């Protein structure tokens, strides 16, 4: 089980269905992971087989677009 520490994450997107964070970095090169928390997704699938573990989640197109725009802005691309 993974326990997330809210104190070391920076939220770059939030809505009633999705929150997205990046783990904070204390150096100049930010290669830390992004976490996306989806509340009650419309559709999702978890596949666990011998050597394959996958999660597939359906997101609203507009919601994903806004999440992507916020991500690009938070990284200085837009």
């Amino acid at each position: 089980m993974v326990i997330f520490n809210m104190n070391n994450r920076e939220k770059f997107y939030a809505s009633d269905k999705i929150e997205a964070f990046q783990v904070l970095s204390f150096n100049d090169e930010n290669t830390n992971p992004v976490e996306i928390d989806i509340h009650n997704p419309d559709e999702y699938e978890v596949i666990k087989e011998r050597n394959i573990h996958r999660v597939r989640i359906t997101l609203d197109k507009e919601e994903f677009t806004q999440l992507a725009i916020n991500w690009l802005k938070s990284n200085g691309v837009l």
Side-chain angles (χ1 to χ4, degrees):
M1 175 170 65
V2 177
I3 298 174
F4 298 107
N5 179 352
M6 293 298 290
N7 295 327
N8 68 347
R9 302 185 317 165
E10 180 177 16
K11 188 183 299 187
F12 64 88
Y13 180 77
S15 73
D16 60 336
K17 293 185 94 172
I18 297 176
E19 292 180 292
F21 306 86
Q22 183 169 29
V23 176
L24 294 176
S25 178
F26 296 104
N27 58 34
D28 292 336
E29 186 177 319
N30 188 350
T31 58
N32 293 348
V34 171
E35 300 167 5
I36 299 174
D37 186 4
I38 302 171
H39 313 282
N40 300 314
D42 295 328
E43 295 180 40
Y44 67 95
E45 179 179 15
V46 177
I47 300 164
K48 284 185 161 186
E49 296 175 359
R50 212 173 214 183
N51 296 322
I52 298 173
H53 293 154
R54 290 189 334 220
V55 176
R56 178 179 296 150
I57 300 170
T58 301
L59 299 176
D60 176 78
K61 178 185 173 192
E62 296 303 318
E63 183 99 49
F64 181 76
T65 299
Q66 193 58 53
L67 185 150
I69 289 169
N70 285 22
W71 171 250
L72 294 171
K73 285 181 179 178
S74 74
N75 283 277
V77 177
L78 286 181

